[in-house]
Amino acid sequence: MIFDVLTLFPEMIENYCNFSIMKRASEANIISVNAINPRDFTLDKHKKVDDTPYGGGAGMVLMAQPYVDAYESIKKVENSVTVMLSPQGEPLSDDIVNEFANFDQMILLCGHYEGFDERIREIIKPREISLGDFVLTGGELPALCLIDAVSRKLEGTLGKIESADEDSFSNGLIEYPHYTKPRVYRGLSVPEVLLNGNHKDINEFRFQKSLERTKLKRPDLYAKWLKNQNQTTD
Ligand code: 4GS
């Protein structure tokens, strides 16, 4: 997967991707992350990328020309998707992450300051994705979240293929509780069933815990899961 990220702050993207699992995935050529700076595509000597909004109001607006030229400089592969990160977008979900993992290239458009000149949307026509109903100072963190979430779905990124399947949401439920050594910590014991090596019992225990927690912590997900179960047994 090639990630091409349009951002005024390329180091933010490069830095994050140079650690831990992202770094390993890059070294294994599973992903390639490139940051492109619209500032390099400005035509004036001050390298201006933003200006005051027509009609007045607070904040600065990203100018269309440097952004569109930077976008058009990117070499597109056949199976490519362009995504703008913005609170106006469709809320990100595990289903959308899985969908994106099927592409060979993702071009990610990060804003900063108030927002994009609307003509950037009109010309590029990106898919718009939001991380949630809150406002950040820039699209870099949402872009990194997307890169991270998509990368871990790609074969070879995680140590074992199973480790992605057992995480929250992969079966529509949130995760069961995890324990490691020691067996007793501050008087709190690891559940007995996890120590006896009976995998049928362990799976059943984990499944019940997943159900219990989803019902308690995410009644919305639980209702969706129940509905799904009924549909598949009908
Ligand atoms: C989000 C968000 C966001 C909006 C970027 C104001 C700077 C900012 N992007 N999900 N301009 N939430 N973007 O807050 O994606």
Side-chain angles (χ1 to χ4, degrees):
M1 172 77 79
I2 302 165
F3 294 103
D4 289 309
V5 187
L6 256 73
T7 170
L8 298 174
F9 303 97
E11 293 92 343
M12 287 188 182
I13 305 296
E14 286 155 3
N15 206 293
Y16 180 81
C17 295
N18 237 332
F19 290 91
S20 181
I21 296 174
M22 291 300 111
K23 183 180 181 160
R24 213 178 55 199
S26 299
E27 287 170 352
N29 291 319
I30 298 163
I31 62 169
S32 159
V33 183
N34 319 297
I36 302 101
N37 192 343
R39 202 176 290 282
D40 297 337
F41 293 81
T42 51
L43 302 173
D44 72 306
K45 67 173 184 204
H46 299 294
K47 296 186 181 293
K48 202 172 161 60
V49 290
D50 58 352
D51 212 326
T52 53
Y54 277 122
M60 298 294 269
V61 176
L62 287 171
M63 294 161 69
Q65 176 273 318
Y67 224 90
V68 170
D69 284 353
Y71 174 74
E72 289 177 346
S73 79
I74 295 168
K75 191 175 172 284
K76 268 202 197 182
V77 310
E78 206 171 299
N79 188 21
S80 169
V81 64
T82 300
V83 176
M84 175 181 275
L85 289 311
S86 124
Q88 301 176 33
E90 189 185 349
L92 188 60
S93 65
D94 192 54
D95 286 344
I96 298 177
V97 170
N98 282 328
E99 192 189 322
F100 286 151
N102 289 318
F103 286 93
D104 297 320
Q105 179 184 36
M106 292 191 72
I107 303 176
L108 305 175
L109 314 179
C110 306
H112 225 89
Y113 318 114
E114 273 317 288
F116 297 93
D117 185 305
E118 191 58 23
R119 290 162 296 186
I120 296 173
R121 283 192 179 86
E122 287 170 7
I123 294 167
I124 299 177
K125 298 185 177 69
R127 178 114 175 237
E128 245 177 295
I129 294 290
S130 169
L131 227 63
D133 292 340
F134 45 84
V135 181
L136 299 162
T137 58
E140 286 76 14
L141 281 174
L144 285 170
C145 289
L146 197 49
I147 291 172
D148 187 297
V150 169
S151 294
R152 65 187 289 295
K153 299 280 186 177
L154 304 175
E155 200 176 320
T157 295
L158 299 182
K160 291 183 292 173
I161 301 173
E162 317 88 78
S163 33
D165 302 334
E166 287 178 16
D167 281 320
S168 292
F169 310 120
S170 57
N171 60 358
L173 297 171
I174 56 178
E175 266 185 292
Y176 53 78
H178 301 278
Y179 296 91
T180 186
K181 287 166 189 164
R183 279 170 75 146
V184 183
Y185 176 67
R186 295 199 180 183
L188 301 172
S189 301
V190 175
E192 200 59 42
V193 59
L194 299 178
L195 308 173
N196 70 13
N198 182 331
H199 288 283
K200 191 169 163 287
D201 288 356
I202 291 172
N203 285 339
E204 183 55 27
F205 168 82
R206 287 177 168 170
F207 176 63
Q208 288 306 327
K209 285 289 172 192
S210 271
L211 269 185
E212 198 180 285
R213 307 194 136 187
T214 308
K215 204 168 168 178
L216 194 72
K217 296 187 183 184
R218 290 294 305 274
D220 57 322
L221 273 186
Y222 184 70
K224 200 170 141 191
W225 180 84
L226 266 186
K227 204 174 138 210
N228 247 321
Q229 295 302 301
N230 292 334
Q231 267 167 13
T232 42
T233 49
D234 274 352

